[in-house]
Structure formats: C-alpha cells, structure tokens
Amino acid sequence: MKILVATEKPFSPVAIRQIREVTEAAGYELALLENYTDTSLLLDAVSEADGLIVRSDKVTGEVIKAAKNLKIVIRAGAGYDNIDLQACTDNNVIAMNTPGQNANAVAELVFELILFKIRGGFSGKTGSELRIKTIGLHGFGNVGKYVADIARGFGMDIYAYDPFVSERIMKNNSAKQCTNIFEMYSRCQYISLHMPFNDRTRKSVGYELISRMPQNGVLVNTARKELIDEEGILKAFEERDDLSYLSDIEPDCKSVFEDKYKGRYLFTAKKMGAQTEEANINAGAAAARQIVDYFTKGVEKYRLNK
Ligand code: NAD
C-alpha cells in the first residue's frame, strides 16, 4: 500500500515523523512530495498512490483521474473546499477531513490579530481592552468553540450565530444564541467568521452586515477570503472610518486597503491559521490514523462524500 503526502506548504518535520510512524507501523510505504510548484509533479506522484494526504493542495478531477489506484484522500485540516468531492465519488475515492485538529491554532490567531490591532501594533500608542466588549461568532463549530473559550478568559460578552448548532451547545460553551444574523452584527463590536466556504456562504458577508456593526467594529476572518463580498466591505469602509478588517489571507482587493485604509487592516501574507507545530502534528497524525483505520477496519467516521 502506497501513501503519498503531497503538500505545497509542507508539514513540520515532527509531523512528518508521526505520519511516517503511523503508516510504516501498518506496513505501508510513505512517499513525500513537498514544496511542489507545478501540478504536473502532483499528477505524476499520485499515479501509484493508494492513499493521499494533502493540506490546502487542490485535489481536482484531473488529480483524481491521474490517481488510478487511489482509494482514499484525506484533507489534513477542516475546510475541504480544495477537494473535488464529486470527482472523488465518481471515481470511488473516499474523501475525509480531520475536523477539530487545528481549531485551537486558528482560535489563537484570532486573538493574536485582534490584540496586535487594538494595541496599535505594540507601538506605544494608547489602545483598548477586550473585557466586557461584545464578540459575535459567525459559525460555531470547532474553531468557534475555541474562540468562545478564549473570549471567556478575556471577560468578553459572547454571541453566536450558527443555524446548525443548538442553543444548548452554545450555552454550554459560554455563548448566547443569535437566531438573526443582522441582530448579531448590529450588537457585536467584534465579529469573527468561522463558517465553511461553500455555495451558500460565498460572498455572504457584505455591506448589509458589515455596515451594521457598532462603533469601532472589527471584522476578523480566519475562515476563507471568499466569504467576504469585497465590493460590500469596501463600500462600508468608504462610508465609515472606524471599521477594521483583520484577515488570515490577503483579500483580492488588498491594494485598495493599502491605498485608502492605512491602519485599519491587518492581513497575514500567507494563510497561517493552522500553521503551528501542534496543529501540524494533530492534523497530520490524525490523517495517517484515519487512512490506517479505513484500510484495516473500514472506519469512515469523517467521510465527506457520502
Ligand atoms: P467546523 O466544520 O467545525 O465548523 C463550521 C461551522 O460552521 C459548523 O458548526 C456549521 O454548522 C457552521 N455553518 C455552516 N454554514 C453556516 C452558515 N451559513 N452560517 C453560519 N454557520 C454555518 O469547521 P471549523 O474547524 O470550525 O473551521 C471553520 C472554517 O475555518 C473552515 O471551514 C475553514 O474554511 C476555516 N479554517 C481556516 C484555517 C486557517 O488556516 N485559517 C484552518 C482551519 C479552518
């Protein structure tokens, strides 16, 4: 059995060691394709693989077709918008993700971005505090829950909107349920996005929501840039000079922020929410275990293409 780890942005060495330990203990052969810059290299490497582990790498229909022996692909991470699930299904390939394994890393980044911003980039300028401030979590899955946990430590007033999560679960995680998304944006000075990117959520955060935020509103996006309607956010920024946008990955309209909204944005140069040693180890080792569990026991717990 051949397992390929294909990562444009590699796992940390210690994560690779763990993936190797798990796969080799099961008697599988592990191959690495790291830092590849051309899809042709992936198409070539995947041709012999029975199992594939990726991070944000695009697993398109072309990749699936080139992988003649492939039975399972694991996205070591939460969001799986980089995997063509239909192509997997059409070619009898099981697709899974590793939910929750990098959630704490992303949640910590939310506060790293916020704290840097509200303390003026640690410049010595007078900043502001988080205690008793309102935060609204748009999406209350694994990351949202960790964010609530940290926000509680800061003494924040926490709200959450997630049509698929019950009020009881929110309450157990210190968040008050909002059933109306407009109400949450109107109420919360801080809004943090934690829903997946899909056809329903594409560009779903735009002018109508952002323009309702209270004075000194801060929108934090560690989910996906595609959730934002960029025309809408630019319109809101044009009308109000008190809003800020912090994002784990640059928006397409970054140059407009650079030209017009200095001091009101913070964008990581590369997506780095899950880029901690711990998250790498958790997600990488979970991916390897899920492959072994699938081949040896038929476990399909985190299957995405049912
Ligand atoms: P998750 O699947 O545990 O939680 C997502 C939550 O969003 C679920 O509770 C779901 O019910 C909710 N949701 C779905 N549609 C919604 C909608 N229309 N409105 C409100 N809520 C909705 O995922 P997670 O681990 O919490 O991660 C959330 C997202 O963060 C991922 O989908 C991924 O895109 C992104 N992410 C980014 C990084 C990074 O490196 N920056 C790392 C991990 C995850």
Side-chain angles (χ1 to χ4, degrees), residues 78-79 81 99-100 102-103 106 138-144 161-165 193-198 200-201 222-224 248 271-274:
D81 40 300
N102 55 21
V106 181
H138 194 163
F140 202 68
N142 288 293
V143 179
Y161 172 85
D162 189 322
F164 310 102
V165 173
L193 306 182
H194 302 295
M195 71 278 210
F197 166 50
N198 54 38
R200 278 188 58 199
T201 59
T222 55
R224 288 286 186 271
D248 183 23
K271 186 151 132 327
M272 54 169 292

PDB file of all heavy atoms in Angstrom, residues 78-79 81 99-100 102-103 106 138-144 161-165 193-198 200-201 222-224 248 271-274, ligand 1:
ATOM      1  N   ALA A  78      -9.586  21.290   8.306  1.00  0.00           N
ATOM      2  CA  ALA A  78     -11.050  21.339   8.446  1.00  0.00           C
ATOM      3  C   ALA A  78     -11.747  21.645   7.115  1.00  0.00           C
ATOM      4  O   ALA A  78     -12.547  20.850   6.623  1.00  0.00           O
ATOM      5  CB  ALA A  78     -11.424  22.387   9.484  1.00  0.00           C
ATOM      6  N   GLY A  79     -11.420  22.808   6.516  1.00  0.00           N
ATOM      7  CA  GLY A  79     -12.079  23.207   5.274  1.00  0.00           C
ATOM      8  C   GLY A  79     -11.684  22.271   4.140  1.00  0.00           C
ATOM      9  O   GLY A  79     -10.516  21.922   4.006  1.00  0.00           O
ATOM     10  N   ASP A  81     -12.852  22.754   0.783  1.00  0.00           N
ATOM     11  CA  ASP A  81     -13.234  23.348  -0.497  1.00  0.00           C
ATOM     12  C   ASP A  81     -12.144  23.167  -1.550  1.00  0.00           C
ATOM     13  O   ASP A  81     -12.334  23.520  -2.709  1.00  0.00           O
ATOM     14  CB  ASP A  81     -13.583  24.833  -0.315  1.00  0.00           C
ATOM     15  CG  ASP A  81     -12.656  25.550   0.657  1.00  0.00           C
ATOM     16  OD1 ASP A  81     -12.589  25.146   1.824  1.00  0.00           O
ATOM     17  OD2 ASP A  81     -11.976  26.507   0.229  1.00  0.00           O
ATOM     18  N   PRO A  99     -11.515  16.993  11.251  1.00  0.00           N
ATOM     19  CA  PRO A  99     -12.115  18.133  11.942  1.00  0.00           C
ATOM     20  C   PRO A  99     -11.569  18.344  13.352  1.00  0.00           C
ATOM     21  O   PRO A  99     -11.308  17.387  14.079  1.00  0.00           O
ATOM     22  CB  PRO A  99     -13.610  17.792  11.975  1.00  0.00           C
ATOM     23  CG  PRO A  99     -13.711  16.359  11.638  1.00  0.00           C
ATOM     24  CD  PRO A  99     -12.504  15.979  10.860  1.00  0.00           C
ATOM     25  N   GLY A 100     -11.400  19.616  13.691  1.00  0.00           N
ATOM     26  CA  GLY A 100     -11.026  19.972  15.067  1.00  0.00           C
ATOM     27  C   GLY A 100      -9.543  19.949  15.365  1.00  0.00           C
ATOM     28  O   GLY A 100      -9.093  20.536  16.346  1.00  0.00           O
ATOM     29  N   ASN A 102      -6.964  21.367  14.063  1.00  0.00           N
ATOM     30  CA  ASN A 102      -6.193  22.615  14.048  1.00  0.00           C
ATOM     31  C   ASN A 102      -6.996  23.792  14.623  1.00  0.00           C
ATOM     32  O   ASN A 102      -6.606  24.951  14.502  1.00  0.00           O
ATOM     33  CB  ASN A 102      -5.700  22.941  12.632  1.00  0.00           C
ATOM     34  CG  ASN A 102      -6.854  22.978  11.638  1.00  0.00           C
ATOM     35  OD1 ASN A 102      -7.992  23.139  12.038  1.00  0.00           O
ATOM     36  ND2 ASN A 102      -6.560  22.853  10.362  1.00  0.00           N
ATOM     37  N   ALA A 103      -8.123  23.465  15.256  1.00  0.00           N
ATOM     38  CA  ALA A 103      -9.060  24.520  15.664  1.00  0.00           C
ATOM     39  C   ALA A 103      -8.466  25.477  16.699  1.00  0.00           C
ATOM     40  O   ALA A 103      -8.683  26.689  16.633  1.00  0.00           O
ATOM     41  CB  ALA A 103     -10.344  23.892  16.199  1.00  0.00           C
ATOM     42  N   VAL A 106      -6.164  28.099  15.101  1.00  0.00           N
ATOM     43  CA  VAL A 106      -6.891  29.160  14.397  1.00  0.00           C
ATOM     44  C   VAL A 106      -7.498  30.133  15.415  1.00  0.00           C
ATOM     45  O   VAL A 106      -7.424  31.357  15.254  1.00  0.00           O
ATOM     46  CB  VAL A 106      -7.998  28.562  13.489  1.00  0.00           C
ATOM     47  CG1 VAL A 106      -8.728  29.664  12.741  1.00  0.00           C
ATOM     48  CG2 VAL A 106      -7.405  27.564  12.512  1.00  0.00           C
ATOM     49  N   HIS A 138     -19.607  33.969  13.908  1.00  0.00           N
ATOM     50  CA  HIS A 138     -20.422  33.604  12.741  1.00  0.00           C
ATOM     51  C   HIS A 138     -19.975  32.215  12.305  1.00  0.00           C
ATOM     52  O   HIS A 138     -19.004  32.087  11.568  1.00  0.00           O
ATOM     53  CB  HIS A 138     -20.206  34.660  11.648  1.00  0.00           C
ATOM     54  CG  HIS A 138     -21.201  34.597  10.541  1.00  0.00           C
ATOM     55  ND1 HIS A 138     -21.409  35.625   9.668  1.00  0.00           N
ATOM     56  CD2 HIS A 138     -22.062  33.616  10.161  1.00  0.00           C
ATOM     57  CE1 HIS A 138     -22.340  35.278   8.789  1.00  0.00           C
ATOM     58  NE2 HIS A 138     -22.734  34.062   9.069  1.00  0.00           N
ATOM     59  N   GLY A 139     -20.694  31.202  12.795  1.00  0.00           N
ATOM     60  CA  GLY A 139     -20.260  29.804  12.667  1.00  0.00           C
ATOM     61  C   GLY A 139     -19.757  29.347  14.027  1.00  0.00           C
ATOM     62  O   GLY A 139     -18.892  30.002  14.614  1.00  0.00           O
ATOM     63  N   PHE A 140     -20.331  28.249  14.524  1.00  0.00           N
ATOM     64  CA  PHE A 140     -19.956  27.817  15.876  1.00  0.00           C
ATOM     65  C   PHE A 140     -19.592  26.336  15.883  1.00  0.00           C
ATOM     66  O   PHE A 140     -20.168  25.525  16.595  1.00  0.00           O
ATOM     67  CB  PHE A 140     -21.114  28.103  16.853  1.00  0.00           C
ATOM     68  CG  PHE A 140     -20.673  28.195  18.287  1.00  0.00           C
ATOM     69  CD1 PHE A 140     -19.868  29.245  18.711  1.00  0.00           C
ATOM     70  CD2 PHE A 140     -21.057  27.236  19.216  1.00  0.00           C
ATOM     71  CE1 PHE A 140     -19.453  29.334  20.031  1.00  0.00           C
ATOM     72  CE2 PHE A 140     -20.650  27.320  20.543  1.00  0.00           C
ATOM     73  CZ  PHE A 140     -19.842  28.374  20.950  1.00  0.00           C
ATOM     74  N   GLY A 141     -18.613  25.991  15.045  1.00  0.00           N
ATOM     75  CA  GLY A 141     -18.091  24.623  15.033  1.00  0.00           C
ATOM     76  C   GLY A 141     -16.863  24.543  15.919  1.00  0.00           C
ATOM     77  O   GLY A 141     -16.786  25.202  16.964  1.00  0.00           O
ATOM     78  N   ASN A 142     -15.884  23.774  15.465  1.00  0.00           N
ATOM     79  CA  ASN A 142     -14.695  23.544  16.304  1.00  0.00           C
ATOM     80  C   ASN A 142     -13.935  24.835  16.610  1.00  0.00           C
ATOM     81  O   ASN A 142     -13.583  25.092  17.760  1.00  0.00           O
ATOM     82  CB  ASN A 142     -13.778  22.541  15.613  1.00  0.00           C
ATOM     83  CG  ASN A 142     -14.364  21.140  15.642  1.00  0.00           C
ATOM     84  OD1 ASN A 142     -14.492  20.544  16.698  1.00  0.00           O
ATOM     85  ND2 ASN A 142     -14.757  20.628  14.491  1.00  0.00           N
ATOM     86  N   VAL A 143     -13.674  25.653  15.583  1.00  0.00           N
ATOM     87  CA  VAL A 143     -12.913  26.886  15.825  1.00  0.00           C
ATOM     88  C   VAL A 143     -13.751  27.854  16.661  1.00  0.00           C
ATOM     89  O   VAL A 143     -13.267  28.438  17.640  1.00  0.00           O
ATOM     90  CB  VAL A 143     -12.473  27.558  14.504  1.00  0.00           C
ATOM     91  CG1 VAL A 143     -11.702  28.842  14.808  1.00  0.00           C
ATOM     92  CG2 VAL A 143     -11.604  26.625  13.670  1.00  0.00           C
ATOM     93  N   GLY A 144     -15.018  28.021  16.291  1.00  0.00           N
ATOM     94  CA  GLY A 144     -15.895  28.942  17.019  1.00  0.00           C
ATOM     95  C   GLY A 144     -15.905  28.643  18.515  1.00  0.00           C
ATOM     96  O   GLY A 144     -15.846  29.556  19.345  1.00  0.00           O
ATOM     97  N   TYR A 161     -23.927  32.828  15.995  1.00  0.00           N
ATOM     98  CA  TYR A 161     -24.968  32.528  15.002  1.00  0.00           C
ATOM     99  C   TYR A 161     -24.513  31.305  14.219  1.00  0.00           C
ATOM    100  O   TYR A 161     -23.434  31.313  13.613  1.00  0.00           O
ATOM    101  CB  TYR A 161     -25.157  33.714  14.045  1.00  0.00           C
ATOM    102  CG  TYR A 161     -26.066  33.379  12.894  1.00  0.00           C
ATOM    103  CD1 TYR A 161     -27.451  33.488  13.021  1.00  0.00           C
ATOM    104  CD2 TYR A 161     -25.541  32.921  11.692  1.00  0.00           C
ATOM    105  CE1 TYR A 161     -28.288  33.148  11.963  1.00  0.00           C
ATOM    106  CE2 TYR A 161     -26.373  32.580  10.633  1.00  0.00           C
ATOM    107  CZ  TYR A 161     -27.747  32.702  10.778  1.00  0.00           C
ATOM    108  OH  TYR A 161     -28.573  32.358   9.738  1.00  0.00           O
ATOM    109  N   ASP A 162     -25.290  30.236  14.271  1.00  0.00           N
ATOM    110  CA  ASP A 162     -24.989  29.017  13.509  1.00  0.00           C
ATOM    111  C   ASP A 162     -26.292  28.238  13.399  1.00  0.00           C
ATOM    112  O   ASP A 162     -26.776  27.687  14.387  1.00  0.00           O
ATOM    113  CB  ASP A 162     -23.917  28.178  14.225  1.00  0.00           C
ATOM    114  CG  ASP A 162     -23.418  27.013  13.374  1.00  0.00           C
ATOM    115  OD1 ASP A 162     -24.233  26.401  12.662  1.00  0.00           O
ATOM    116  OD2 ASP A 162     -22.210  26.711  13.439  1.00  0.00           O
ATOM    117  N   PRO A 163     -26.909  28.216  12.196  1.00  0.00           N
ATOM    118  CA  PRO A 163     -28.209  27.564  12.046  1.00  0.00           C
ATOM    119  C   PRO A 163     -28.185  26.068  12.354  1.00  0.00           C
ATOM    120  O   PRO A 163     -29.242  25.455  12.506  1.00  0.00           O
ATOM    121  CB  PRO A 163     -28.563  27.792  10.579  1.00  0.00           C
ATOM    122  CG  PRO A 163     -27.521  28.659  10.000  1.00  0.00           C
ATOM    123  CD  PRO A 163     -26.383  28.774  10.954  1.00  0.00           C
ATOM    124  N   PHE A 164     -26.982  25.483  12.431  1.00  0.00           N
ATOM    125  CA  PHE A 164     -26.896  24.026  12.612  1.00  0.00           C
ATOM    126  C   PHE A 164     -26.440  23.625  14.017  1.00  0.00           C
ATOM    127  O   PHE A 164     -26.143  22.451  14.260  1.00  0.00           O
ATOM    128  CB  PHE A 164     -25.951  23.429  11.561  1.00  0.00           C
ATOM    129  CG  PHE A 164     -26.272  23.891  10.170  1.00  0.00           C
ATOM    130  CD1 PHE A 164     -25.522  24.880   9.544  1.00  0.00           C
ATOM    131  CD2 PHE A 164     -27.373  23.368   9.496  1.00  0.00           C
ATOM    132  CE1 PHE A 164     -25.836  25.336   8.271  1.00  0.00           C
ATOM    133  CE2 PHE A 164     -27.703  23.818   8.216  1.00  0.00           C
ATOM    134  CZ  PHE A 164     -26.934  24.804   7.598  1.00  0.00           C
ATOM    135  N   VAL A 165     -26.345  24.578  14.909  1.00  0.00           N
ATOM    136  CA  VAL A 165     -25.891  24.275  16.281  1.00  0.00           C
ATOM    137  C   VAL A 165     -26.954  24.755  17.265  1.00  0.00           C
ATOM    138  O   VAL A 165     -27.496  25.861  17.120  1.00  0.00           O
ATOM    139  CB  VAL A 165     -24.522  24.944  16.567  1.00  0.00           C
ATOM    140  CG1 VAL A 165     -24.123  24.777  18.023  1.00  0.00           C
ATOM    141  CG2 VAL A 165     -23.447  24.351  15.655  1.00  0.00           C
ATOM    142  N   LEU A 193     -15.371  35.201  11.827  1.00  0.00           N
ATOM    143  CA  LEU A 193     -16.013  34.274  10.880  1.00  0.00           C
ATOM    144  C   LEU A 193     -15.470  32.847  11.027  1.00  0.00           C
ATOM    145  O   LEU A 193     -14.255  32.638  10.957  1.00  0.00           O
ATOM    146  CB  LEU A 193     -15.783  34.742   9.441  1.00  0.00           C
ATOM    147  CG  LEU A 193     -16.187  36.180   9.126  1.00  0.00           C
ATOM    148  CD1 LEU A 193     -15.953  36.478   7.642  1.00  0.00           C
ATOM    149  CD2 LEU A 193     -17.645  36.435   9.504  1.00  0.00           C
ATOM    150  N   HIS A 194     -16.379  31.903  11.197  1.00  0.00           N
ATOM    151  CA  HIS A 194     -15.954  30.505  11.370  1.00  0.00           C
ATOM    152  C   HIS A 194     -16.872  29.519  10.671  1.00  0.00           C
ATOM    153  O   HIS A 194     -17.065  28.397  11.141  1.00  0.00           O
ATOM    154  CB  HIS A 194     -15.859  30.187  12.871  1.00  0.00           C
ATOM    155  CG  HIS A 194     -14.919  31.107  13.562  1.00  0.00           C
ATOM    156  ND1 HIS A 194     -13.569  31.130  13.289  1.00  0.00           N
ATOM    157  CD2 HIS A 194     -15.133  32.095  14.457  1.00  0.00           C
ATOM    158  CE1 HIS A 194     -12.995  32.085  13.993  1.00  0.00           C
ATOM    159  NE2 HIS A 194     -13.915  32.684  14.709  1.00  0.00           N
ATOM    160  N   MET A 195     -17.451  29.953   9.542  1.00  0.00           N
ATOM    161  CA  MET A 195     -18.267  29.004   8.781  1.00  0.00           C
ATOM    162  C   MET A 195     -17.472  28.536   7.560  1.00  0.00           C
ATOM    163  O   MET A 195     -16.502  29.183   7.157  1.00  0.00           O
ATOM    164  CB  MET A 195     -19.630  29.592   8.402  1.00  0.00           C
ATOM    165  CG  MET A 195     -19.614  30.656   7.353  1.00  0.00           C
ATOM    166  SD  MET A 195     -19.218  32.242   8.064  1.00  0.00           S
ATOM    167  CE  MET A 195     -20.104  33.343   6.981  1.00  0.00           C
ATOM    168  N   PRO A 196     -17.870  27.417   6.957  1.00  0.00           N
ATOM    169  CA  PRO A 196     -17.130  26.920   5.787  1.00  0.00           C
ATOM    170  C   PRO A 196     -17.425  27.750   4.554  1.00  0.00           C
ATOM    171  O   PRO A 196     -18.453  28.437   4.497  1.00  0.00           O
ATOM    172  CB  PRO A 196     -17.672  25.492   5.611  1.00  0.00           C
ATOM    173  CG  PRO A 196     -19.021  25.512   6.238  1.00  0.00           C
ATOM    174  CD  PRO A 196     -18.991  26.544   7.326  1.00  0.00           C
ATOM    175  N   PHE A 197     -16.546  27.664   3.578  1.00  0.00           N
ATOM    176  CA  PHE A 197     -16.804  28.279   2.277  1.00  0.00           C
ATOM    177  C   PHE A 197     -17.520  27.258   1.400  1.00  0.00           C
ATOM    178  O   PHE A 197     -17.030  26.152   1.186  1.00  0.00           O
ATOM    179  CB  PHE A 197     -15.461  28.692   1.640  1.00  0.00           C
ATOM    180  CG  PHE A 197     -15.574  29.016   0.175  1.00  0.00           C
ATOM    181  CD1 PHE A 197     -16.548  29.882  -0.288  1.00  0.00           C
ATOM    182  CD2 PHE A 197     -14.702  28.450  -0.747  1.00  0.00           C
ATOM    183  CE1 PHE A 197     -16.673  30.184  -1.637  1.00  0.00           C
ATOM    184  CE2 PHE A 197     -14.805  28.742  -2.103  1.00  0.00           C
ATOM    185  CZ  PHE A 197     -15.801  29.609  -2.538  1.00  0.00           C
ATOM    186  N   ASN A 198     -18.720  27.614   0.940  1.00  0.00           N
ATOM    187  CA  ASN A 198     -19.449  26.761   0.001  1.00  0.00           C
ATOM    188  C   ASN A 198     -20.383  27.675  -0.815  1.00  0.00           C
ATOM    189  O   ASN A 198     -20.323  28.902  -0.681  1.00  0.00           O
ATOM    190  CB  ASN A 198     -20.215  25.638   0.732  1.00  0.00           C
ATOM    191  CG  ASN A 198     -21.137  26.185   1.813  1.00  0.00           C
ATOM    192  OD1 ASN A 198     -21.761  27.235   1.640  1.00  0.00           O
ATOM    193  ND2 ASN A 198     -21.215  25.486   2.942  1.00  0.00           N
ATOM    194  N   ARG A 200     -23.392  28.350  -0.492  1.00  0.00           N
ATOM    195  CA  ARG A 200     -24.308  29.175   0.320  1.00  0.00           C
ATOM    196  C   ARG A 200     -23.596  30.318   1.030  1.00  0.00           C
ATOM    197  O   ARG A 200     -24.188  31.348   1.303  1.00  0.00           O
ATOM    198  CB  ARG A 200     -25.005  28.295   1.372  1.00  0.00           C
ATOM    199  CG  ARG A 200     -26.195  27.542   0.800  1.00  0.00           C
ATOM    200  CD  ARG A 200     -26.957  26.846   1.891  1.00  0.00           C
ATOM    201  NE  ARG A 200     -27.428  27.760   2.927  1.00  0.00           N
ATOM    202  CZ  ARG A 200     -27.798  27.370   4.133  1.00  0.00           C
ATOM    203  NH1 ARG A 200     -27.716  26.107   4.478  1.00  0.00           N
ATOM    204  NH2 ARG A 200     -28.250  28.244   5.017  1.00  0.00           N
ATOM    205  N   THR A 201     -22.346  30.108   1.363  1.00  0.00           N
ATOM    206  CA  THR A 201     -21.658  31.134   2.167  1.00  0.00           C
ATOM    207  C   THR A 201     -20.792  32.077   1.311  1.00  0.00           C
ATOM    208  O   THR A 201     -20.317  33.082   1.813  1.00  0.00           O
ATOM    209  CB  THR A 201     -20.768  30.483   3.244  1.00  0.00           C
ATOM    210  OG1 THR A 201     -19.812  29.641   2.595  1.00  0.00           O
ATOM    211  CG2 THR A 201     -21.583  29.671   4.229  1.00  0.00           C
ATOM    212  N   THR A 222     -10.681  34.402   9.770  1.00  0.00           N
ATOM    213  CA  THR A 222      -9.664  33.345   9.695  1.00  0.00           C
ATOM    214  C   THR A 222     -10.239  32.133   8.960  1.00  0.00           C
ATOM    215  O   THR A 222      -9.655  31.053   9.002  1.00  0.00           O
ATOM    216  CB  THR A 222      -9.193  32.898  11.096  1.00  0.00           C
ATOM    217  OG1 THR A 222     -10.352  32.513  11.845  1.00  0.00           O
ATOM    218  CG2 THR A 222      -8.423  33.983  11.813  1.00  0.00           C
ATOM    219  N   ALA A 223     -11.389  32.332   8.299  1.00  0.00           N
ATOM    220  CA  ALA A 223     -12.019  31.198   7.605  1.00  0.00           C
ATOM    221  C   ALA A 223     -11.547  31.166   6.145  1.00  0.00           C
ATOM    222  O   ALA A 223     -10.537  30.525   5.834  1.00  0.00           O
ATOM    223  CB  ALA A 223     -13.526  31.296   7.728  1.00  0.00           C
ATOM    224  N   ARG A 224     -12.236  31.903   5.272  1.00  0.00           N
ATOM    225  CA  ARG A 224     -11.849  31.934   3.858  1.00  0.00           C
ATOM    226  C   ARG A 224     -12.123  33.328   3.306  1.00  0.00           C
ATOM    227  O   ARG A 224     -13.159  33.921   3.618  1.00  0.00           O
ATOM    228  CB  ARG A 224     -12.674  30.928   3.039  1.00  0.00           C
ATOM    229  CG  ARG A 224     -12.332  29.462   3.284  1.00  0.00           C
ATOM    230  CD  ARG A 224     -11.015  29.068   2.654  1.00  0.00           C
ATOM    231  NE  ARG A 224     -10.765  27.641   2.783  1.00  0.00           N
ATOM    232  CZ  ARG A 224     -10.140  27.066   3.811  1.00  0.00           C
ATOM    233  NH1 ARG A 224      -9.686  27.792   4.811  1.00  0.00           N
ATOM    234  NH2 ARG A 224      -9.959  25.758   3.840  1.00  0.00           N
ATOM    235  N   ASP A 248      -6.814  36.322   7.851  1.00  0.00           N
ATOM    236  CA  ASP A 248      -5.756  35.342   7.639  1.00  0.00           C
ATOM    237  C   ASP A 248      -5.733  34.981   6.167  1.00  0.00           C
ATOM    238  O   ASP A 248      -6.223  33.938   5.770  1.00  0.00           O
ATOM    239  CB  ASP A 248      -5.995  34.088   8.489  1.00  0.00           C
ATOM    240  CG  ASP A 248      -4.851  33.095   8.337  1.00  0.00           C
ATOM    241  OD1 ASP A 248      -3.744  33.538   7.961  1.00  0.00           O
ATOM    242  OD2 ASP A 248      -5.059  31.896   8.590  1.00  0.00           O
ATOM    243  N   LYS A 271      -1.605  32.254   4.374  1.00  0.00           N
ATOM    244  CA  LYS A 271      -2.575  31.661   5.303  1.00  0.00           C
ATOM    245  C   LYS A 271      -1.807  30.911   6.388  1.00  0.00           C
ATOM    246  O   LYS A 271      -0.986  30.048   6.096  1.00  0.00           O
ATOM    247  CB  LYS A 271      -3.477  30.709   4.527  1.00  0.00           C
ATOM    248  CG  LYS A 271      -4.618  30.143   5.320  1.00  0.00           C
ATOM    249  CD  LYS A 271      -5.747  29.845   4.382  1.00  0.00           C
ATOM    250  CE  LYS A 271      -6.412  28.510   4.492  1.00  0.00           C
ATOM    251  NZ  LYS A 271      -5.736  27.329   4.852  1.00  0.00           N
ATOM    252  N   MET A 272      -2.023  31.277   7.644  1.00  0.00           N
ATOM    253  CA  MET A 272      -1.194  30.687   8.691  1.00  0.00           C
ATOM    254  C   MET A 272      -1.981  30.268   9.929  1.00  0.00           C
ATOM    255  O   MET A 272      -1.389  29.935  10.948  1.00  0.00           O
ATOM    256  CB  MET A 272      -0.101  31.665   9.082  1.00  0.00           C
ATOM    257  CG  MET A 272      -0.609  33.035   9.482  1.00  0.00           C
ATOM    258  SD  MET A 272       0.677  34.030  10.230  1.00  0.00           S
ATOM    259  CE  MET A 272       0.948  33.151  11.743  1.00  0.00           C
ATOM    260  N   GLY A 273      -3.328  30.245   9.809  1.00  0.00           N
ATOM    261  CA  GLY A 273      -4.154  29.873  10.958  1.00  0.00           C
ATOM    262  C   GLY A 273      -3.765  28.528  11.543  1.00  0.00           C
ATOM    263  O   GLY A 273      -3.683  28.358  12.760  1.00  0.00           O
ATOM    264  N   ALA A 274      -3.523  27.559  10.677  1.00  0.00           N
ATOM    265  CA  ALA A 274      -3.232  26.201  11.151  1.00  0.00           C
ATOM    266  C   ALA A 274      -1.733  25.944  11.212  1.00  0.00           C
ATOM    267  O   ALA A 274      -1.303  24.812  11.424  1.00  0.00           O
ATOM    268  CB  ALA A 274      -3.890  25.189  10.227  1.00  0.00           C
TER     269      ALA A 274
HETATM  270  P1  NAD B   1     -16.401  23.147  11.562  1.00  0.00           P
HETATM  271  O1  NAD B   1     -16.904  22.338  10.433  1.00  0.00           O
HETATM  272  O2  NAD B   1     -16.082  22.501  12.858  1.00  0.00           O
HETATM  273  O3  NAD B   1     -17.446  24.337  11.873  1.00  0.00           O
HETATM  274  C1  NAD B   1     -18.071  25.087  10.880  1.00  0.00           C
HETATM  275  C2  NAD B   1     -19.386  25.584  11.460  1.00  0.00           C
HETATM  276  O4  NAD B   1     -19.991  26.467  10.514  1.00  0.00           O
HETATM  277  C3  NAD B   1     -20.383  24.442  11.704  1.00  0.00           C
HETATM  278  O5  NAD B   1     -20.828  24.465  13.059  1.00  0.00           O
HETATM  279  C4  NAD B   1     -21.531  24.757  10.757  1.00  0.00           C
HETATM  280  O6  NAD B   1     -22.791  24.420  11.307  1.00  0.00           O
HETATM  281  C5  NAD B   1     -21.393  26.255  10.594  1.00  0.00           C
HETATM  282  N1  NAD B   1     -22.039  26.774   9.405  1.00  0.00           N
HETATM  283  C6  NAD B   1     -22.189  26.195   8.182  1.00  0.00           C
HETATM  284  N2  NAD B   1     -22.859  27.013   7.357  1.00  0.00           N
HETATM  285  C7  NAD B   1     -23.137  28.138   8.076  1.00  0.00           C
HETATM  286  C8  NAD B   1     -23.803  29.347   7.769  1.00  0.00           C
HETATM  287  N3  NAD B   1     -24.320  29.559   6.556  1.00  0.00           N
HETATM  288  N4  NAD B   1     -23.906  30.282   8.742  1.00  0.00           N
HETATM  289  C9  NAD B   1     -23.403  30.074   9.966  1.00  0.00           C
HETATM  290  N5  NAD B   1     -22.752  28.937  10.322  1.00  0.00           N
HETATM  291  C10 NAD B   1     -22.618  27.990   9.378  1.00  0.00           C
HETATM  292  O7  NAD B   1     -15.128  23.912  10.995  1.00  0.00           O
HETATM  293  P2  NAD B   1     -14.026  24.674  11.860  1.00  0.00           P
HETATM  294  O8  NAD B   1     -12.929  23.732  12.194  1.00  0.00           O
HETATM  295  O9  NAD B   1     -14.683  25.430  12.934  1.00  0.00           O
HETATM  296  O10 NAD B   1     -13.453  25.669  10.753  1.00  0.00           O
HETATM  297  C11 NAD B   1     -14.297  26.690  10.211  1.00  0.00           C
HETATM  298  C12 NAD B   1     -13.712  27.160   8.907  1.00  0.00           C
HETATM  299  O11 NAD B   1     -12.472  27.802   9.175  1.00  0.00           O
HETATM  300  C13 NAD B   1     -13.346  26.011   7.941  1.00  0.00           C
HETATM  301  O12 NAD B   1     -14.420  25.673   7.100  1.00  0.00           O
HETATM  302  C14 NAD B   1     -12.193  26.560   7.165  1.00  0.00           C
HETATM  303  O13 NAD B   1     -12.650  27.199   5.983  1.00  0.00           O
HETATM  304  C15 NAD B   1     -11.600  27.622   8.080  1.00  0.00           C
HETATM  305  N6  NAD B   1     -10.276  27.211   8.591  1.00  0.00           N
HETATM  306  C16 NAD B   1      -9.245  28.026   8.319  1.00  0.00           C
HETATM  307  C17 NAD B   1      -7.981  27.688   8.783  1.00  0.00           C
HETATM  308  C18 NAD B   1      -6.834  28.603   8.539  1.00  0.00           C
HETATM  309  O14 NAD B   1      -5.733  28.121   8.356  1.00  0.00           O
HETATM  310  N7  NAD B   1      -7.050  29.889   8.553  1.00  0.00           N
HETATM  311  C19 NAD B   1      -7.790  26.485   9.482  1.00  0.00           C
HETATM  312  C20 NAD B   1      -8.896  25.699   9.789  1.00  0.00           C
HETATM  313  C21 NAD B   1     -10.145  26.076   9.323  1.00  0.00           C
END
